Amino acid sequence: MNRALTLDDLILAGIALAAGLLVAFSSRTLLRWLAKHAKRTKWSGDDVIVDALRTVVPWAAIAAGAAGAGAALPLTRTVQHHTNQCLQVLLIFVVTLSAARVIAGLVQSVTQSRSGVAGSATIFVNITRVLVMAIGFLVVLQTLGISIAPMLTALGVGGLAVALALQDTLANLFAGIHILASKTVQPGDYIRLNTGEEGYVVDINWRQTTVRQLSNNLVVVPNGELAKSNMTNYTRPEQQLTILVQVGVSYDSDLDHVERVTTEVIAETMTEVTGAIPDHEPAIRFHTFGDSRIGFTVILGVGEFSDQYRIKHEFIKRLHRRYREEGIRIPAPTRTVALQQGSVVIPHQRNGEDVSSGTTAS
């Protein structure tokens, strides 16, 4: 347009801009009210969606008001075009950020609601967020009139060089995806590697797996190394497990009496100690005639790996106390040494002279 700016144009532009601001304020208030109701539902996905809409809708209303104001003003075609492009880029940028937040939040919500998928595995969330941001960036370029076909071709050729330069990084990335997809390890599992590291899996991200030891230290293991190592998972297929406690009693003990007393102590421990399995069936197996004792194994059931230390502690204390009350003896290891018969020379000292006497030891 080449006409001069009038007061009516300013009034119409102001009305359009004010209307956009009013709609933005009203929608934000309404969405805040919806967010309070969404928190009452069991599904966390609606919280993520409403939170994203609280960002997108107000900015869309403001952009629409600004576009209406620009249309009401007598701007040249070039200025109008650039103004609309700027508003479109702004709106695409806001929508992309919100979409990345929504999709990443939904992915995290799904993983948290399923026991077979990593609840806190950030690798899926990060990959989803990067893909959405990349798509939004390509849409922005297309909106600005920049052809993305040559860029995609260049990325395809350059991707080969990047793949060669980042072999270790890509190996860790795909190893992490394979670990999560195969469901062999998930955050919360207690694992032990053949190299000696053990602890609870805290997180599996695009490069590494973080393991928290019982001492509360963090061990960082690259995903590629984790995928190649021999590993014992103490949480799968079941979190409950059995532990073995070795015990021995003297040869003069009544084994039926020992078994009955030990069974009572097992039942008491399983019922009263936190982390034990109350319905665990007591199991005692005699297995060895030792040098000074008859050895047997007590099998206890625990809820999860770290509970075994507390349960062993309580069981041994209670068993020792009960054995003392029942007169059941736990002998200390003894060893009989036989001396070969022969002559031993024992030196004596008398009147400043050394005198050796011969004695016979048997």
Side-chain angles (χ1 to χ4, degrees), residues 155-174:
L155 289 175
V157 176
L160 297 176
V162 173
L164 293 176
L166 301 177
Q167 290 185 36
D168 294 338
T169 301
L170 293 177
N172 290 326
L173 172 63
F174 289 109

mmCIF file with all atom_site columns, all heavy atoms in Angstrom, residues 155-174:
data_model
loop_
_atom_site.group_PDB
_atom_site.id
_atom_site.type_symbol
_atom_site.label_atom_id
_atom_site.label_alt_id
_atom_site.label_comp_id
_atom_site.label_asym_id
_atom_site.label_entity_id
_atom_site.label_seq_id
_atom_site.pdbx_PDB_ins_code
_atom_site.Cartn_x
_atom_site.Cartn_y
_atom_site.Cartn_z
_atom_site.occupancy
_atom_site.B_iso_or_equiv
_atom_site.pdbx_formal_charge
_atom_site.auth_seq_id
_atom_site.auth_comp_id
_atom_site.auth_asym_id
_atom_site.auth_atom_id
_atom_site.pdbx_PDB_model_num
ATOM 1   N N   . LEU A 1 155 ? 23.958 -33.270 4.293  1.00 0.00 ? 155 LEU A N   1
ATOM 2   C CA  . LEU A 1 155 ? 23.947 -33.998 5.558  1.00 0.00 ? 155 LEU A CA  1
ATOM 3   C C   . LEU A 1 155 ? 24.126 -35.498 5.336  1.00 0.00 ? 155 LEU A C   1
ATOM 4   O O   . LEU A 1 155 ? 24.769 -36.189 6.135  1.00 0.00 ? 155 LEU A O   1
ATOM 5   C CB  . LEU A 1 155 ? 22.633 -33.740 6.301  1.00 0.00 ? 155 LEU A CB  1
ATOM 6   C CG  . LEU A 1 155 ? 22.458 -32.334 6.897  1.00 0.00 ? 155 LEU A CG  1
ATOM 7   C CD1 . LEU A 1 155 ? 21.068 -32.197 7.499  1.00 0.00 ? 155 LEU A CD1 1
ATOM 8   C CD2 . LEU A 1 155 ? 23.523 -32.056 7.946  1.00 0.00 ? 155 LEU A CD2 1
ATOM 9   N N   . GLY A 1 156 ? 23.542 -36.001 4.239  1.00 0.00 ? 156 GLY A N   1
ATOM 10  C CA  . GLY A 1 156 ? 23.702 -37.428 3.948  1.00 0.00 ? 156 GLY A CA  1
ATOM 11  C C   . GLY A 1 156 ? 25.142 -37.790 3.651  1.00 0.00 ? 156 GLY A C   1
ATOM 12  O O   . GLY A 1 156 ? 25.655 -38.818 4.114  1.00 0.00 ? 156 GLY A O   1
ATOM 13  N N   . VAL A 1 157 ? 25.833 -36.915 2.862  1.00 0.00 ? 157 VAL A N   1
ATOM 14  C CA  . VAL A 1 157 ? 27.242 -37.186 2.557  1.00 0.00 ? 157 VAL A CA  1
ATOM 15  C C   . VAL A 1 157 ? 28.111 -36.959 3.786  1.00 0.00 ? 157 VAL A C   1
ATOM 16  O O   . VAL A 1 157 ? 29.001 -37.760 4.101  1.00 0.00 ? 157 VAL A O   1
ATOM 17  C CB  . VAL A 1 157 ? 27.704 -36.288 1.390  1.00 0.00 ? 157 VAL A CB  1
ATOM 18  C CG1 . VAL A 1 157 ? 29.192 -36.486 1.135  1.00 0.00 ? 157 VAL A CG1 1
ATOM 19  C CG2 . VAL A 1 157 ? 26.898 -36.605 0.143  1.00 0.00 ? 157 VAL A CG2 1
ATOM 20  N N   . GLY A 1 158 ? 27.847 -35.843 4.495  1.00 0.00 ? 158 GLY A N   1
ATOM 21  C CA  . GLY A 1 158 ? 28.650 -35.552 5.690  1.00 0.00 ? 158 GLY A CA  1
ATOM 22  C C   . GLY A 1 158 ? 28.395 -36.510 6.817  1.00 0.00 ? 158 GLY A C   1
ATOM 23  O O   . GLY A 1 158 ? 29.235 -36.668 7.711  1.00 0.00 ? 158 GLY A O   1
ATOM 24  N N   . GLY A 1 159 ? 27.213 -37.152 6.780  1.00 0.00 ? 159 GLY A N   1
ATOM 25  C CA  . GLY A 1 159 ? 26.921 -38.106 7.848  1.00 0.00 ? 159 GLY A CA  1
ATOM 26  C C   . GLY A 1 159 ? 27.878 -39.283 7.866  1.00 0.00 ? 159 GLY A C   1
ATOM 27  O O   . GLY A 1 159 ? 28.176 -39.848 8.923  1.00 0.00 ? 159 GLY A O   1
ATOM 28  N N   . LEU A 1 160 ? 28.385 -39.667 6.681  1.00 0.00 ? 160 LEU A N   1
ATOM 29  C CA  . LEU A 1 160 ? 29.352 -40.762 6.628  1.00 0.00 ? 160 LEU A CA  1
ATOM 30  C C   . LEU A 1 160 ? 30.633 -40.392 7.355  1.00 0.00 ? 160 LEU A C   1
ATOM 31  O O   . LEU A 1 160 ? 31.192 -41.178 8.126  1.00 0.00 ? 160 LEU A O   1
ATOM 32  C CB  . LEU A 1 160 ? 29.642 -41.124 5.166  1.00 0.00 ? 160 LEU A CB  1
ATOM 33  C CG  . LEU A 1 160 ? 28.451 -41.657 4.354  1.00 0.00 ? 160 LEU A CG  1
ATOM 34  C CD1 . LEU A 1 160 ? 28.859 -41.889 2.905  1.00 0.00 ? 160 LEU A CD1 1
ATOM 35  C CD2 . LEU A 1 160 ? 27.935 -42.954 4.974  1.00 0.00 ? 160 LEU A CD2 1
ATOM 36  N N   . ALA A 1 161 ? 31.111 -39.153 7.103  1.00 0.00 ? 161 ALA A N   1
ATOM 37  C CA  . ALA A 1 161 ? 32.337 -38.711 7.777  1.00 0.00 ? 161 ALA A CA  1
ATOM 38  C C   . ALA A 1 161 ? 32.121 -38.586 9.284  1.00 0.00 ? 161 ALA A C   1
ATOM 39  O O   . ALA A 1 161 ? 32.990 -38.955 10.086 1.00 0.00 ? 161 ALA A O   1
ATOM 40  C CB  . ALA A 1 161 ? 32.795 -37.384 7.185  1.00 0.00 ? 161 ALA A CB  1
ATOM 41  N N   . VAL A 1 162 ? 30.942 -38.071 9.660  1.00 0.00 ? 162 VAL A N   1
ATOM 42  C CA  . VAL A 1 162 ? 30.647 -37.941 11.092 1.00 0.00 ? 162 VAL A CA  1
ATOM 43  C C   . VAL A 1 162 ? 30.554 -39.308 11.752 1.00 0.00 ? 162 VAL A C   1
ATOM 44  O O   . VAL A 1 162 ? 31.026 -39.529 12.875 1.00 0.00 ? 162 VAL A O   1
ATOM 45  C CB  . VAL A 1 162 ? 29.343 -37.147 11.287 1.00 0.00 ? 162 VAL A CB  1
ATOM 46  C CG1 . VAL A 1 162 ? 28.925 -37.144 12.751 1.00 0.00 ? 162 VAL A CG1 1
ATOM 47  C CG2 . VAL A 1 162 ? 29.513 -35.716 10.787 1.00 0.00 ? 162 VAL A CG2 1
ATOM 48  N N   . ALA A 1 163 ? 29.956 -40.277 11.047 1.00 0.00 ? 163 ALA A N   1
ATOM 49  C CA  . ALA A 1 163 ? 29.826 -41.620 11.607 1.00 0.00 ? 163 ALA A CA  1
ATOM 50  C C   . ALA A 1 163 ? 31.191 -42.253 11.839 1.00 0.00 ? 163 ALA A C   1
ATOM 51  O O   . ALA A 1 163 ? 31.417 -42.943 12.839 1.00 0.00 ? 163 ALA A O   1
ATOM 52  C CB  . ALA A 1 163 ? 28.983 -42.490 10.682 1.00 0.00 ? 163 ALA A CB  1
ATOM 53  N N   . LEU A 1 164 ? 32.128 -42.012 10.902 1.00 0.00 ? 164 LEU A N   1
ATOM 54  C CA  . LEU A 1 164 ? 33.473 -42.555 11.092 1.00 0.00 ? 164 LEU A CA  1
ATOM 55  C C   . LEU A 1 164 ? 34.194 -41.874 12.239 1.00 0.00 ? 164 LEU A C   1
ATOM 56  O O   . LEU A 1 164 ? 34.941 -42.515 12.996 1.00 0.00 ? 164 LEU A O   1
ATOM 57  C CB  . LEU A 1 164 ? 34.278 -42.398 9.795  1.00 0.00 ? 164 LEU A CB  1
ATOM 58  C CG  . LEU A 1 164 ? 33.802 -43.248 8.602  1.00 0.00 ? 164 LEU A CG  1
ATOM 59  C CD1 . LEU A 1 164 ? 34.607 -42.925 7.356  1.00 0.00 ? 164 LEU A CD1 1
ATOM 60  C CD2 . LEU A 1 164 ? 33.895 -44.731 8.926  1.00 0.00 ? 164 LEU A CD2 1
ATOM 61  N N   . ALA A 1 165 ? 33.980 -40.559 12.390 1.00 0.00 ? 165 ALA A N   1
ATOM 62  C CA  . ALA A 1 165 ? 34.675 -39.825 13.456 1.00 0.00 ? 165 ALA A CA  1
ATOM 63  C C   . ALA A 1 165 ? 34.079 -40.112 14.828 1.00 0.00 ? 165 ALA A C   1
ATOM 64  O O   . ALA A 1 165 ? 34.773 -39.983 15.845 1.00 0.00 ? 165 ALA A O   1
ATOM 65  C CB  . ALA A 1 165 ? 34.617 -38.330 13.170 1.00 0.00 ? 165 ALA A CB  1
ATOM 66  N N   . LEU A 1 166 ? 32.820 -40.503 14.868 1.00 0.00 ? 166 LEU A N   1
ATOM 67  C CA  . LEU A 1 166 ? 32.134 -40.729 16.147 1.00 0.00 ? 166 LEU A CA  1
ATOM 68  C C   . LEU A 1 166 ? 31.740 -42.189 16.305 1.00 0.00 ? 166 LEU A C   1
ATOM 69  O O   . LEU A 1 166 ? 30.636 -42.502 16.747 1.00 0.00 ? 166 LEU A O   1
ATOM 70  C CB  . LEU A 1 166 ? 30.891 -39.828 16.231 1.00 0.00 ? 166 LEU A CB  1
ATOM 71  C CG  . LEU A 1 166 ? 31.130 -38.324 16.131 1.00 0.00 ? 166 LEU A CG  1
ATOM 72  C CD1 . LEU A 1 166 ? 29.801 -37.578 16.165 1.00 0.00 ? 166 LEU A CD1 1
ATOM 73  C CD2 . LEU A 1 166 ? 32.023 -37.837 17.263 1.00 0.00 ? 166 LEU A CD2 1
ATOM 74  N N   . GLN A 1 167 ? 32.651 -43.076 15.972 1.00 0.00 ? 167 GLN A N   1
ATOM 75  C CA  . GLN A 1 167 ? 32.322 -44.497 16.063 1.00 0.00 ? 167 GLN A CA  1
ATOM 76  C C   . GLN A 1 167 ? 31.998 -44.911 17.492 1.00 0.00 ? 167 GLN A C   1
ATOM 77  O O   . GLN A 1 167 ? 31.008 -45.607 17.745 1.00 0.00 ? 167 GLN A O   1
ATOM 78  C CB  . GLN A 1 167 ? 33.504 -45.333 15.548 1.00 0.00 ? 167 GLN A CB  1
ATOM 79  C CG  . GLN A 1 167 ? 33.725 -45.226 14.049 1.00 0.00 ? 167 GLN A CG  1
ATOM 80  C CD  . GLN A 1 167 ? 34.816 -46.171 13.578 1.00 0.00 ? 167 GLN A CD  1
ATOM 81  O OE1 . GLN A 1 167 ? 34.955 -47.271 14.089 1.00 0.00 ? 167 GLN A OE1 1
ATOM 82  N NE2 . GLN A 1 167 ? 35.594 -45.744 12.607 1.00 0.00 ? 167 GLN A NE2 1
ATOM 83  N N   . ASP A 1 168 ? 32.827 -44.480 18.445 1.00 0.00 ? 168 ASP A N   1
ATOM 84  C CA  . ASP A 1 168 ? 32.598 -44.871 19.837 1.00 0.00 ? 168 ASP A CA  1
ATOM 85  C C   . ASP A 1 168 ? 31.286 -44.293 20.368 1.00 0.00 ? 168 ASP A C   1
ATOM 86  O O   . ASP A 1 168 ? 30.522 -44.973 21.054 1.00 0.00 ? 168 ASP A O   1
ATOM 87  C CB  . ASP A 1 168 ? 33.762 -44.415 20.714 1.00 0.00 ? 168 ASP A CB  1
ATOM 88  C CG  . ASP A 1 168 ? 35.051 -45.140 20.370 1.00 0.00 ? 168 ASP A CG  1
ATOM 89  O OD1 . ASP A 1 168 ? 34.966 -46.228 19.793 1.00 0.00 ? 168 ASP A OD1 1
ATOM 90  O OD2 . ASP A 1 168 ? 36.135 -44.597 20.674 1.00 0.00 ? 168 ASP A OD2 1
ATOM 91  N N   . THR A 1 169 ? 31.037 -43.021 20.030 1.00 0.00 ? 169 THR A N   1
ATOM 92  C CA  . THR A 1 169 ? 29.807 -42.380 20.506 1.00 0.00 ? 169 THR A CA  1
ATOM 93  C C   . THR A 1 169 ? 28.577 -43.064 19.931 1.00 0.00 ? 169 THR A C   1
ATOM 94  O O   . THR A 1 169 ? 27.602 -43.347 20.648 1.00 0.00 ? 169 THR A O   1
ATOM 95  C CB  . THR A 1 169 ? 29.811 -40.893 20.134 1.00 0.00 ? 169 THR A CB  1
ATOM 96  O OG1 . THR A 1 169 ? 30.954 -40.264 20.711 1.00 0.00 ? 169 THR A OG1 1
ATOM 97  C CG2 . THR A 1 169 ? 28.557 -40.204 20.637 1.00 0.00 ? 169 THR A CG2 1
ATOM 98  N N   . LEU A 1 170 ? 28.615 -43.349 18.620 1.00 0.00 ? 170 LEU A N   1
ATOM 99  C CA  . LEU A 1 170 ? 27.472 -44.017 17.999 1.00 0.00 ? 170 LEU A CA  1
ATOM 100 C C   . LEU A 1 170 ? 27.324 -45.448 18.507 1.00 0.00 ? 170 LEU A C   1
ATOM 101 O O   . LEU A 1 170 ? 26.202 -45.946 18.665 1.00 0.00 ? 170 LEU A O   1
ATOM 102 C CB  . LEU A 1 170 ? 27.640 -44.014 16.473 1.00 0.00 ? 170 LEU A CB  1
ATOM 103 C CG  . LEU A 1 170 ? 27.564 -42.638 15.805 1.00 0.00 ? 170 LEU A CG  1
ATOM 104 C CD1 . LEU A 1 170 ? 27.819 -42.763 14.313 1.00 0.00 ? 170 LEU A CD1 1
ATOM 105 C CD2 . LEU A 1 170 ? 26.211 -41.990 16.054 1.00 0.00 ? 170 LEU A CD2 1
ATOM 106 N N   . ALA A 1 171 ? 28.459 -46.100 18.772 1.00 0.00 ? 171 ALA A N   1
ATOM 107 C CA  . ALA A 1 171 ? 28.382 -47.453 19.326 1.00 0.00 ? 171 ALA A CA  1
ATOM 108 C C   . ALA A 1 171 ? 27.705 -47.435 20.688 1.00 0.00 ? 171 ALA A C   1
ATOM 109 O O   . ALA A 1 171 ? 26.869 -48.299 20.992 1.00 0.00 ? 171 ALA A O   1
ATOM 110 C CB  . ALA A 1 171 ? 29.781 -48.051 19.428 1.00 0.00 ? 171 ALA A CB  1
ATOM 111 N N   . ASN A 1 172 ? 28.045 -46.452 21.530 1.00 0.00 ? 172 ASN A N   1
ATOM 112 C CA  . ASN A 1 172 ? 27.398 -46.336 22.835 1.00 0.00 ? 172 ASN A CA  1
ATOM 113 C C   . ASN A 1 172 ? 25.919 -46.007 22.692 1.00 0.00 ? 172 ASN A C   1
ATOM 114 O O   . ASN A 1 172 ? 25.083 -46.503 23.465 1.00 0.00 ? 172 ASN A O   1
ATOM 115 C CB  . ASN A 1 172 ? 28.095 -45.265 23.670 1.00 0.00 ? 172 ASN A CB  1
ATOM 116 C CG  . ASN A 1 172 ? 29.483 -45.679 24.111 1.00 0.00 ? 172 ASN A CG  1
ATOM 117 O OD1 . ASN A 1 172 ? 29.727 -46.851 24.368 1.00 0.00 ? 172 ASN A OD1 1
ATOM 118 N ND2 . ASN A 1 172 ? 30.387 -44.731 24.195 1.00 0.00 ? 172 ASN A ND2 1
ATOM 119 N N   . LEU A 1 173 ? 25.583 -45.160 21.714 1.00 0.00 ? 173 LEU A N   1
ATOM 120 C CA  . LEU A 1 173 ? 24.184 -44.791 21.494 1.00 0.00 ? 173 LEU A CA  1
ATOM 121 C C   . LEU A 1 173 ? 23.344 -46.010 21.122 1.00 0.00 ? 173 LEU A C   1
ATOM 122 O O   . LEU A 1 173 ? 22.307 -46.284 21.734 1.00 0.00 ? 173 LEU A O   1
ATOM 123 C CB  . LEU A 1 173 ? 24.101 -43.725 20.399 1.00 0.00 ? 173 LEU A CB  1
ATOM 124 C CG  . LEU A 1 173 ? 22.694 -43.358 19.921 1.00 0.00 ? 173 LEU A CG  1
ATOM 125 C CD1 . LEU A 1 173 ? 21.886 -42.759 21.051 1.00 0.00 ? 173 LEU A CD1 1
ATOM 126 C CD2 . LEU A 1 173 ? 22.761 -42.399 18.736 1.00 0.00 ? 173 LEU A CD2 1
ATOM 127 N N   . PHE A 1 174 ? 23.785 -46.756 20.118 1.00 0.00 ? 174 PHE A N   1
ATOM 128 C CA  . PHE A 1 174 ? 23.003 -47.910 19.670 1.00 0.00 ? 174 PHE A CA  1
ATOM 129 C C   . PHE A 1 174 ? 23.043 -49.035 20.696 1.00 0.00 ? 174 PHE A C   1
ATOM 130 O O   . PHE A 1 174 ? 22.080 -49.810 20.805 1.00 0.00 ? 174 PHE A O   1
ATOM 131 C CB  . PHE A 1 174 ? 23.506 -48.388 18.310 1.00 0.00 ? 174 PHE A CB  1
ATOM 132 C CG  . PHE A 1 174 ? 23.175 -47.449 17.182 1.00 0.00 ? 174 PHE A CG  1
ATOM 133 C CD1 . PHE A 1 174 ? 24.156 -46.697 16.572 1.00 0.00 ? 174 PHE A CD1 1
ATOM 134 C CD2 . PHE A 1 174 ? 21.862 -47.295 16.754 1.00 0.00 ? 174 PHE A CD2 1
ATOM 135 C CE1 . PHE A 1 174 ? 23.852 -45.814 15.543 1.00 0.00 ? 174 PHE A CE1 1
ATOM 136 C CE2 . PHE A 1 174 ? 21.540 -46.419 15.730 1.00 0.00 ? 174 PHE A CE2 1
ATOM 137 C CZ  . PHE A 1 174 ? 22.539 -45.672 15.125 1.00 0.00 ? 174 PHE A CZ  1
#
